């Protein structure tokens, strides 16, 4: 519920029913009720009173060992090739929740099945990871060469900022194959489990988000809508730095305002108020703008200096569509790109057609054409 005013809404009825049921248990009956929620913020205090749910256990995202155990559970009934090491996969998936890992195993198994493999190999897990991280590819989307080049420059701008700034999570992959609603993706991946972030890391995130737009500006001198999502993201980061984490020198170590978006967390909209004055609101706006402007100037200088590398990465993207961390590093250091074997996964339709062709060949020639004997 959006929490507009009180009343007997669905949520309240559920709560009351729950309380009535729970009061049916006497404390000496040895019944323990366990419940789980991903919205602890909307729980009614009545439910958390001692004697009802009196202990809260926070389940965080799993760490490396947790991820390995979760992967074991989900891959129990999946035949794994000998080159699959669940520990390595666990190390390469920081930030993945249990559901993400389950999804990863399923996607890898589907990919293997589409290639008629007997077991799921490491490369299937690699491809599945990209799918889980970045969304599935939208190969059917037709982009003009101009749009592609535009996207390539934009993503290269993100990538160069990530490569040059050590405070940023290392870049994992860059692609100009449309995924979901994005025309391209530059995907960072943390080095390991992350429990807290520093001010410098937030600044690096703002910088990398600005990188796409600024690269477009430098190369084309015009603005496109491609950066809308980046801009929203970096504005949110800057605002959180000022209002939630007290990272602004000007406004000091205070938090401003109750949690953002609480309207949708089930609290009462009408009774919500800001705990700061209008002049402070203006100061916050100014500070956020100032912070972003500072990063903007830095990134503009950086990308102007590294213009050649942005261009080189964009050209490689036009050629290969996707670049991994190794390839990006090679381009950035001016080395030759290693040749690449392409893994082409047939779509279901293509696979079925190949099977049909095989069957047709068998009925006409008495079997698929045999490979020529080697000499
Ligand atoms: Zn972008």
């Amino acid at each position: 519920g959006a929490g507009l005013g009180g009343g007997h809404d669905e949520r309240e009825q559920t709560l009351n029913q729950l309380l009535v049921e729970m009061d049916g248990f006497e404390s000496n009956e040895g019944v323990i009720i366990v419940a789980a929620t991903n919205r602890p913020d909307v729980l009614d205090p009545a439910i958390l009173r001692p004697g009802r749910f009196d202990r809260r256990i926070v389940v965080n995202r799993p760490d490396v060992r947790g991820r390995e155990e979760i992967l074991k559970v989900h891959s129990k009934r999946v035949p794994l090739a000998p080159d699959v090491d669940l520990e390595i996969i666990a190390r390469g998936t920081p930030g993945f929740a249990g559901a993400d890992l389950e999804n990863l195993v399923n996607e890898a198994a589907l990919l293997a099945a589409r290639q008629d493999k007997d077991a799921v190999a490491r490369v299937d897990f690699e491809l599945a990871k990209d799918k889980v991280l970045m969304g599935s590819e939208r190969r059917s989307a037709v982009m003009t060469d101009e749009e592609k080049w535009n996207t390539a420059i934009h993503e290269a701008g993100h990538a160069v900022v990530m490569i040059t700034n050590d405070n940023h999570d290392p870049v994992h992959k860059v692609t100009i194959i449309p995924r979901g609603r994005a025309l391209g993706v530059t995907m960072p991946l943390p080095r390991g489990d992350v429990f807290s972030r520093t001010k410098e890391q937030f600044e690096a995130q703002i910088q990398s988000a600005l990188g796409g737009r600024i690269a477009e500006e430098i190369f084309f001198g015009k603005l496109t809508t491609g950066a809308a999502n980046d801009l929203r993201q970096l504005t949110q980061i800057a605002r959180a730095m000022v209002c939630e984490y007290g990272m602004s020198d000007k406004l000091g170590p205070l938090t401003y305002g109750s949690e953002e978006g609480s309207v949708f967390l089930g609290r009462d909209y009408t009774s919500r108020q800001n705990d700061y004055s209008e002049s402070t609101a203006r100061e916050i706006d100014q500070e956020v703008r100032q912070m972003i402007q500072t990063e903007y100037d830095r990134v503009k200088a950086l990308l102007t200096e590294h213009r050649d590398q942005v261009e080189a990465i964009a050209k490689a993207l036009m050629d290969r569509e996707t670049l991994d961390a190794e390839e990006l590093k090679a381009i950035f250091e001016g080395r030759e790109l290693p040749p690449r074997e392409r893994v082409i996964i047939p779509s279901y339709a293509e696979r079925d057609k190949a099977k049909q062709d095989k069957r047709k060949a068998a009925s006409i020639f008495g079997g698929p054409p045999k490979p020529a004997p080697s000499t």
Side-chain angles (χ1 to χ4, degrees):
L4 281 159
H8 301 278
D9 56 7
E10 176 70 26
R11 206 172 57 237
E12 216 163 290
Q13 287 181 28
T14 313
L15 169 70
N16 286 333
Q17 190 59 33
L18 201 55
L19 292 175
V20 168
E21 300 294 337
M22 286 175 77
D23 283 341
F25 293 112
E26 291 297 325
S27 55
N28 58 1
E29 276 183 67
V31 177
I32 297 173
I33 302 182
V34 183
T37 179
N38 52 4
R39 298 290 306 277
D41 48 314
V42 295
L43 289 182
D44 195 284
I47 248 180
L48 302 171
R49 218 169 281 151
R52 290 178 177 148
F53 288 112
D54 45 6
R55 201 161 302 177
R56 275 211 246 181
I57 301 165
V58 178
V59 182
N60 276 321
R61 280 173 189 260
D63 61 4
V64 122
R65 276 195 46 210
R67 286 196 298 274
E68 191 183 342
E69 295 301 318
I70 293 170
L71 282 168
K72 274 186 201 159
V73 171
H74 291 300
S75 60
K76 210 172 247 168
R77 277 186 289 170
V78 177
L80 299 177
D83 68 347
V84 175
D85 185 341
L86 293 182
E87 196 196 324
I88 293 178
I89 298 175
R91 245 187 280 138
T93 46
F96 275 46
D100 295 326
L101 294 167
E102 183 180 6
N103 200 2
L104 175 76
V105 176
N106 285 341
E107 288 292 349
L110 281 173
L111 282 171
R114 255 158 73 179
Q115 301 164 82
D116 282 328
K117 285 187 191 169
D118 298 326
V120 185
R122 202 177 65 189
V123 54
D124 300 319
F125 274 100
E126 279 300 320
L127 289 170
K129 184 166 120 185
D130 291 346
K131 201 167 174 184
V132 173
L133 274 175
M134 306 193 277
S136 48
E137 294 179 355
R138 215 153 41 94
R139 287 215 174 254
S140 57
V142 181
M143 280 160 76
T144 61
D145 275 351
E146 197 191 337
E147 270 174 319
K148 254 180 144 178
W149 178 238
N150 215 72
T151 309
I153 288 286
H154 178 103
E155 299 305 328
H158 286 311
V160 166
V161 177
M162 291 187 198
I163 294 169
T164 49
N165 193 332
D166 283 339
N167 285 315
H168 203 286
D169 293 335
V171 53
H172 169 65
K173 225 155 239 191
V174 186
T175 175
I176 55 166
I177 302 170
R179 284 167 188 268
R181 276 167 56 201
L183 294 180
V185 181
T186 305
M187 191 75 220
L189 200 61
R191 287 182 184 87
D193 292 323
V194 178
F195 300 105
S196 70
R197 296 239 178 228
T198 63
K199 185 180 174 190
E200 287 72 25
Q201 285 170 328
F202 281 128
E203 284 169 357
Q205 281 182 5
I206 295 177
Q207 287 182 13
S208 73
L210 281 166
R213 153 64 59 101
I214 293 175
E216 284 183 59
E217 259 180 61
I218 292 175
F219 277 81
F220 310 119
K222 61 177 183 190
L223 305 178
T224 69
T225 54
N229 201 30
D230 297 332
L231 299 181
R232 196 170 308 125
Q233 213 179 345
L234 68 94
T235 310
Q236 266 170 13
I237 297 173
R239 201 158 255 285
M241 285 172 75
V242 175
C243 298
E244 281 172 48
Y245 306 125
M247 286 178 177
S248 148
D249 296 333
K250 212 159 151 203
L251 286 142
L254 273 77
T255 60
Y256 295 95
S258 37
E259 283 160 78
E260 284 284 315
S262 57
V263 182
F264 295 102
L265 301 186
R267 291 209 189 106
D268 207 341
Y269 182 67
T270 42
S271 67
R272 187 175 154 257
Q273 10 173 262
N274 282 339
D275 57 2
Y276 50 82
S277 67
E278 250 172 58
S279 72
T280 308
R282 202 166 305 127
E283 262 182 88
I284 291 172
D285 290 342
Q286 271 168 8
E287 180 67 355
V288 168
R289 196 171 308 139
Q290 180 57 45
M291 277 167 92
I292 294 174
Q293 188 60 45
T294 307
E295 302 308 331
Y296 180 94
D297 294 340
R298 281 186 195 163
V299 176
K300 186 126 194 190
L302 177 93
L303 291 186
T304 309
E305 184 194 335
H306 290 286
R307 194 194 153 104
D308 292 347
Q309 276 120 322
V310 175
E311 195 172 346
I313 289 173
K315 279 187 175 149
L317 274 173
M318 291 298 276
D319 183 32
R320 297 193 170 191
E321 291 189 324
T322 301
L323 298 170
D324 62 25
E326 282 298 305
E327 291 170 319
L328 283 168
K329 206 166 161 236
I331 301 170
F332 198 77
E333 290 167 359
R335 283 184 278 123
E336 275 291 299
L337 268 186
R340 177 203 282 181
E341 316 162 30
R342 271 192 81 108
V343 188
I344 294 164
I345 310 238
S347 69
Y348 285 110
E350 281 165 352
R351 194 193 61 173
D352 290 345
K353 188 166 180 304
K355 273 190 181 164
Q356 268 174 20
D357 287 349
K358 235 190 220 170
R359 237 178 280 138
K360 217 191 244 167
S363 68
I364 298 173
F365 303 112
K370 296 203 170 54
S374 55
T375 50

